[in-house]
Amino acid sequence: MKILIVEDEAKIARFVSLELKHEEYDTRSVGDGREALDIISSEEFDLIILDIMLPGLNGLEVLRRMRKDGNMTPVIMLTARDSVMDKVSGLDMGANDYLTKPFAIEELLARIRAVLRAPKPVTNGDIISYEGLVLDRQGHTVTVNGTEVELTVKEYGLLQALLENLSTVMSREQLLEKVWGYDYFGETNVVDVYIRYVRSKLEAVTPKRYIQTVRGVGYKIG
Ligand code: CA
């Protein structure tokens, strides 16, 4: 497993790198946002630990650009401030997890293990599936263990967005944009209402709770 550490504070970078090597991860370190983008575009990593406050380009901008280029390598963001704003922006831009400094190394190692073993969706052409839940993007149908679940267009859209971003928390704003579109001017709690509809339809055919609430942030599957 190859991990990139993007952190300009040399002491932290060195410490994290040593600990990860001790756990037998292969590590690379850079201390600048632009260097990070360069190395990410030329080498493949299994995971990136990305500090937010960086010279060159900040971590949020690095994340935004790599996701825009279609690079879906899992990212754990580090933030010096316990800022809800940074946390939400990071998750909005597709970070898989975040950690506030100072952190215990055991906590970082636990997050790394969790991100690396998080389930990935099984896709086969138009079919996306995850643990018995199957969504057919061609036929616009959803089944759970073979039983069809009838969903409205918006309910289907929500489920599709969550499945396509399996193991990633989606904020209400992201889900609104994807399902209702940029020009939606209503309340973001419409997402909560529709998530409830989808959940109750899924729960009518399975006891499994596919959609998880991530308090204060949004929803995820997986
Ligand atoms: Ca920093």
Side-chain angles (χ1 to χ4, degrees):
M1 288 288 179
K2 196 168 154 194
I3 300 181
L4 175 67
I5 302 161
V6 186
E7 165 64 271
D8 59 315
E9 285 165 75
K11 249 174 80 181
I12 297 181
R14 209 162 40 232
F15 173 63
V16 169
S17 173
L18 275 172
E19 291 290 334
L20 292 186
K21 283 190 176 127
H22 186 247
E23 299 294 316
E24 292 177 0
Y25 294 110
D26 183 8
T27 67
R28 299 287 305 270
S29 276
V30 292
D32 174 284
R34 291 190 189 280
E35 276 178 56
L37 275 182
D38 281 348
I39 193 168
I40 290 167
S41 64
S42 60
E43 280 184 49
E44 281 211 22
F45 294 92
D46 296 292
L47 177 80
I48 299 169
I49 296 168
L50 181 58
D51 188 34
I52 290 190
M53 302 289 278
L54 289 172
L57 279 177
N58 75 40
L60 290 172
E61 189 55 24
V62 171
L63 176 64
R64 193 186 68 79
R65 294 194 189 184
M66 62 179 275
R67 290 293 187 249
K68 193 161 158 268
D69 292 340
N71 186 325
M72 296 311 286
T73 306
V75 168
I76 298 177
M77 307 244 30
L78 300 181
T79 167
R81 296 158 290 175
D82 190 5
S83 155
V84 174
M85 188 60 203
D86 279 349
K87 168 180 145 190
V88 172
S89 333
L91 292 171
D92 254 353
M93 283 175 213
N96 301 70
D97 206 347
Y98 71 92
L99 205 53
T100 305
K101 291 184 199 170
F103 52 82
I105 192 70
E106 292 76 17
E107 181 65 20
L108 177 63
L109 293 173
R111 301 292 182 95
I112 289 172
R113 283 192 298 269
V115 167
L116 289 176
R117 65 163 187 257
K120 313 231 175 344
V122 179
T123 57
N124 177 8
D126 292 310
I127 308 286
I128 317 177
S129 63
Y130 168 67
E131 297 190 353
L133 176 62
V134 179
L135 183 139
D136 179 346
R137 289 178 282 191
Q138 174 71 26
H140 276 250
T141 55
V142 171
T143 58
V144 176
N145 302 323
T147 304
E148 186 158 355
V149 181
E150 285 200 32
L151 299 177
T152 64
V153 173
K154 294 283 189 279
E155 292 164 357
Y156 174 89
L158 277 177
L159 198 59
Q160 181 178 355
L162 290 169
L163 269 176
E164 284 177 345
N165 295 278
L166 198 71
S167 307
T168 304
V169 185
M170 301 284 286
S171 69
R172 288 171 181 79
E173 289 72 20
Q174 271 179 311
L175 290 168
L176 265 185
E177 268 178 28
K178 282 196 186 295
V179 180
W180 278 263
Y182 285 94
D183 49 358
Y184 178 80
F185 284 110
E187 297 287 325
T188 56
N189 68 11
V190 69
V191 172
D192 304 307
V193 173
Y194 275 80
I195 288 282
R196 267 204 304 279
Y197 295 158
V198 179
R199 273 185 176 151
S200 73
K201 287 185 178 179
L202 293 176
E203 280 161 19
V205 296
T206 176
K208 187 171 168 63
R209 248 181 115 76
Y210 284 104
I211 303 175
Q212 296 166 39
T213 304
V214 181
R215 195 181 293 249
V217 186
Y219 297 98
K220 71 167 185 171
I221 294 180

